[in-house]
Amino acid sequence: MKPDAPSDENQGHNRPPLTYKDAGVDIDAGDALVEHIKPLARSTDRPGVMGGLGGFGGLFDLKAAGFKDPILVSGTDGVGTKLKVAIEAGVPDTVGIDLVAMCVNDIVVQGAEPLFFLDYYASGQLDLDAARRVVAGIAEGCRRAGCALVGGETAEMPGMYVAGDYDLAGFSVGAAERDGLLPRPDIAAGDVVLGLASSGAHSNGYSLVRRIVERSGLGYAAAAPFAAVSLGQALLEPTRIYVKPLLSAIRATGAVKGLAHITGGGLPGNVPRCLPAGTRARLDARRWQAPPVFRWLREAGHVPTDDMLRTFNCGLGMIAVVARKDASTVAESLMNAGESVHEVGVIESAPGEEADCVIDHAESLWRS
């Protein structure tokens, strides 16, 4: 007679117990990160914030923020493959600023004030030091934008990401008074286009940037051919946050008719988004200068000018449309707030239903 086979239950008793930590998720590390985030979040407090981190949702009081007849404006975005540059260069400190910038710059172009921000940070295994540095960058971005960091989510997902990788997403909500929404309906031929300088490539086109770096044979620790820092540091220059200068100009002058945040798609893809049908923006590239990073990317990658214009901001991170009589007043307000501003074009009448953007003398952007 054969002995009874061991039951599944008995077999299980011979195996060591499994915990969530054994599966790759460290709850204690996540709790430690939350404790580190709390003072960073408090540093971003502003009128309207209710409570603090730790609840199931972030609370915000629009009345306490001073709004009377508000329209909510929301935005969400990520940092794209610029994250790979940050990871490979070992510099996670500024991608949090990029994350905030990509959301709040989209909100302010509607004429809205960004009020609060939430982030999502995911990794295969939580690296406390990297996560702290990323979230510190998010808090810095929120301070620059004047919005509050009211919550977020940290996800540790073994098997989803290779060791050392992490991903970011952001979400922001703003508000504008109903009669202050942009773009205004009175944008018309003869209006002037003002361009606000970018800080570099911002957070767009990095799949192409990384291929160009690979082709160049340079590592991220090598000296940048176009700046007095390492290549990694130069390419990680954070996205400029235009919120405070733009809100100041909108409120002080009452003359801003439309705004466009220049992200993926470049000037041709984004300027028409704030224009009415039957118009086009005609820009003259001789009126502003592309930062050296763009000249290097074009030369090192042999990138055609059309591709450069549709991939990168090429030196202008934001444009504003104003009446000609108001152009100097709005430009002065923006410059007083620290922006570099140029009159870069005009609005013209154009046939067809779709708004358009034409860039003349584009080759001049690559001349030093």
Side-chain angles (χ1 to χ4, degrees), residues 232-275:
Q233 288 174 309
L235 294 176
L236 288 169
E237 180 68 30
T239 306
R240 189 162 184 82
I241 294 177
Y242 299 97
V243 170
K244 291 181 179 179
L246 285 174
L247 288 176
S248 177
I250 290 168
R251 292 165 179 170
T253 70
V256 177
K257 293 186 174 187
L259 297 166
H261 182 202
I262 311 306
T263 55
L267 290 159
N270 287 286
V271 174
R273 295 169 69 181
C274 76
L275 302 180

Side-chain angles (χ1 to χ4, degrees), residues 15 23 49 56 127 131 164 178 209 212 225 235 268 270 273 318:
R15 297 173 183 171
V49 173
F56 287 98
D127 178 332
R178 190 178 300 271
V209 169
I212 292 170
L235 294 176
N270 287 286
R273 295 169 69 181
M318 185 73 68

Side-chain angles (χ1 to χ4, degrees), residues 73-208:
V73 180
S74 60
T76 185
D77 212 334
V79 183
T81 56
K82 190 172 186 176
L83 277 178
K84 291 295 290 182
V85 179
I87 291 166
E88 292 174 18
V91 184
D93 305 86
T94 57
V95 285
I97 299 174
D98 289 297
L99 185 67
V100 175
M102 296 305 288
C103 295
V104 298
N105 284 342
D106 277 355
I107 287 174
V108 75
V109 299
Q110 305 290 138
E113 176 184 353
L115 301 174
F116 59 85
F117 188 86
L118 299 98
D119 70 277
Y120 174 78
Y121 179 98
S123 64
Q125 184 175 16
L126 186 60
D127 178 332
L128 273 176
D129 179 63
R132 287 187 186 115
R133 292 163 70 181
V134 168
V135 177
I138 293 171
E140 173 60 23
C142 286
R143 289 191 293 269
R144 293 184 186 186
C147 66
L149 178 59
V150 298
E153 174 69 12
T154 302
E156 199 170 8
M157 299 187 289
M160 286 288 290
Y161 300 92
V162 301
D165 272 2
Y166 53 85
D167 198 9
L168 287 176
F171 178 81
S172 188
V173 172
E177 296 294 356
R178 190 178 300 271
D179 60 0
L181 288 170
L182 297 178
R184 284 170 22 186
D186 60 341
I187 293 175
D191 286 343
V192 168
V193 180
L194 301 177
L196 283 67
S198 68
S199 56
H202 285 184
S203 299
N204 301 104
Y206 274 78
S207 293
L208 178 56

